[in-house]
Amino acid sequence: MSVLDHFTDDDLLEELVRRRNSAKPDYQPARFCDECMYFRTWDGKGSLPESYNPCAKKHRMEFHAPATYDQINDFGYYRTICTDRQERPQ
């Protein structure tokens, strides 16, 4: 019998959500979405529509903003896990 058998699936899922929501705000993503071939930048024509999603696969992304001015190059959209990610060719 595993230690986890003492908990329901709902208990375990709630714990995962609690841990994710209490993560440190200074978390630095390992890879940003703009390095993926499915990332689309806004072409600047007209105003940005509310439905605009930079991901061609329509994934929900998080945005990382630097905590200090020292980290000004470390910002942008990211996903912690993305099965569709393909590195942009150099």
Side-chain angles (χ1 to χ4, degrees):
M1 179 173 220
S2 170
V3 175
L4 296 178
D5 289 340
H6 298 287
F7 300 96
T8 66
D9 289 348
D10 288 339
D11 291 338
L12 296 172
L13 288 171
E14 286 176 13
E15 178 63 15
L16 287 174
V17 170
R18 185 191 65 75
R19 289 182 183 196
R20 184 173 186 196
N21 289 340
S22 66
K24 296 178 184 177
D26 294 338
Y27 167 75
Q28 177 65 42
R31 298 184 303 182
F32 289 101
C33 291
D34 64 345
E35 299 165 356
C36 175
M37 68 181 294
Y38 295 115
F39 187 82
R40 303 172 299 151
T41 57
W42 178 245
D43 63 6
K45 296 176 182 172
S47 59
L48 184 69
E50 288 184 26
S51 62
Y52 172 69
N53 184 339
C55 180
K57 295 286 188 172
K58 301 293 185 197
H59 292 300
R60 182 179 174 272
M61 297 179 288
E62 302 290 330
F63 189 83
H64 175 74
T68 65
Y69 187 73
D70 301 359
Q71 302 167 325
I72 197 67
N73 294 325
D74 297 327
F75 69 94
Y77 289 102
Y78 73 95
R79 285 177 57 84
T80 307
I81 298 172
C82 185
T83 56
D84 293 319
R85 182 183 180 88
Q86 291 187 13
E87 293 296 321
R88 185 173 292 182
Q90 296 293 335

